[in-house]
Amino acid sequence: MPDYQTILVEQRGPVTLITLNRPQALNALNSQVLAELIAALEAFDAEDTQGCAVLTGSEKAFAAGADIKEMQAMGFAEMYGTNHFGGYDRITATRKPIVAAVAGYALGGGCELAMMCDFILAADNAKFGQPEIKLAVSPGMGGSQRLARAVGKAKAMEMCLTGRMMDAEEAERSGLVSRIVPLADLVEEAVRTATTIAGMAPLAVKANKEMVDAAYETTLAQGIRFERRLFHGLFGTEDQKEGMAAFVEKRPGKWTGK
Ligand code: CO8
């Protein structure tokens, strides 16, 4: 395992658990965190023994945003010229699923990072917000777009314009998170959920992720056509034959990933 400074990475069976680890800055996301996160996720995506990742932070903060101290002095030329934080697109390019396990603050870039994952499990103390407006800026890593798609325009607009935080209950009610879990169980429950996903046929996992994601990118008719083509395509896999035979023979399937 490479020697990361700002994240911890461990393999729990088929699940890669990545923990943001800058407690002194409430896991604020700086360039080093981004570089290490991308490296860890690319390694995870390429490792055949790993089927699903969990991304988490601490009990107090998943991540309190992009690192304000790092950005403070930057000007337009540096931001635009280096496409600052454009590298986060590489996180959503991960083909295997990533579950965000969010406890405490998920603010600004932290909320945006959680929303880049495939779904969010929230601890009962989780708080989500896009408070960038209080710094006289705006979301810059997809927050205005993903939050609006997740919770609708009214809540997204209010949160972006006022910086108001949403607690776990409201986040679940609004569709931002899939479920609320007691804080003490959060990481174990996320790893359990990720283990379930990792136990599915790998090509079907990738196809399911890709088609749900397509719902955000296409019209309904295009999305349905895309789903049907992928569904048809899965009938060309060995695992489809095995999965259906296993059902008929009343036994668990054994996947080859082919
Ligand atoms: N960046 C840098 N340091 C931070 C950040 C941050 N986002 N958040 C907290 N810290 C640091 C604090 O400065 C403090 O450090 P120190 O002890 O050296 O003073 C330490 O973490 C602990 O923080 P607090 O003392 O403030 O802890 P509290 O429990 O009192 O408050 C809060 C917790 C409410 C979370 C508070 O820390 C806070 O409001 N943080 C900032 C939240 C915020 O504004 N986030 C948005 C940042 S901007 C952003 O994310 C833009 C994303 C898009 C970028 C795209 C670029 C292209």
Side-chain angles (χ1 to χ4, degrees):
M1 202 66 77
D3 188 19
Y4 298 121
Q5 308 296 310
T6 63
I7 59 173
L8 304 171
V9 182
E10 61 181 289
Q11 293 184 351
R12 300 251 192 115
V15 173
T16 300
L17 174 61
I18 304 176
T19 307
L20 300 169
N21 188 33
R22 290 187 76 211
Q24 72 287 2
L26 300 184
N27 292 331
L29 307 166
N30 62 14
S31 310
Q32 189 179 4
V33 178
L34 172 60
E36 293 187 356
L37 208 46
I38 289 169
L41 284 170
E42 286 182 348
F44 151 72
D45 222 17
E47 173 53 63
D48 283 345
T49 64
Q50 300 298 287
C52 189
V54 171
L55 178 61
T56 195
S58 69
E59 291 196 350
K60 177 163 183 191
F62 175 75
D67 191 317
I68 297 168
K69 293 165 190 167
E70 185 183 66
M71 291 185 296
Q72 186 180 4
M74 289 185 185
F76 172 78
E78 188 177 2
M79 275 280 176
Y80 184 72
T82 63
N83 195 18
H84 191 67
F85 280 167
Y88 272 97
D89 289 346
R90 285 163 69 186
I91 291 174
T92 50
T94 309
R95 296 192 66 213
K96 294 176 193 167
I98 309 168
V99 180
V102 173
Y105 296 112
L107 300 180
C111 185
E112 295 172 298
L113 177 60
M115 291 191 290
M116 283 179 215
C117 297
D118 295 296
F119 60 93
I120 303 173
L121 291 182
D124 42 25
N125 75 339
K127 284 192 185 308
F128 300 87
Q130 298 290 159
E132 292 93 337
I133 191 151
K134 295 184 189 170
L135 304 166
V137 289
S138 70
M141 285 154 44
S144 62
Q145 306 305 297
R146 291 197 177 94
L147 193 63
R149 283 167 166 80
V151 305
K153 180 181 170 186
K155 279 183 188 288
M157 191 67 94
E158 188 198 351
M159 288 170 74
C160 288
L161 290 179
T162 67
R164 177 175 81 79
M165 290 186 217
M166 206 184 239
D167 66 14
E169 292 280 338
E170 186 180 1
E172 186 187 32
R173 211 166 53 235
S174 314
L176 179 58
V177 310
S178 66
R179 260 169 328 117
I180 302 175
V181 177
L183 174 60
D185 303 338
L186 177 70
V187 173
E188 287 319 311
E189 180 57 23
V191 170
R192 230 186 335 267
T193 304
T195 304
T196 300
I197 295 168
M200 304 295 175
L203 293 174
V205 169
K206 283 185 174 143
N208 275 271
K209 168 170 168 157
E210 205 177 355
M211 66 177 72
V212 175
D213 277 341
Y216 280 88
E217 309 262 340
T218 59
T219 64
L220 180 62
Q222 286 169 329
I224 287 172
R225 206 156 40 236
F226 181 68
E227 176 196 82
R228 193 169 304 139
R229 291 295 167 259
L230 274 179
F231 172 75
H232 290 161
L234 288 169
F235 283 73
T237 66
E238 289 176 12
D239 283 342
Q240 173 270 328
K241 296 287 168 289
E242 165 64 8
M244 293 195 178
F247 174 81
V248 171
E249 292 160 21
K250 301 190 191 300
R251 61 173 176 81
K254 279 200 196 130
W255 316 124
T256 60
K258 291 184 184 154

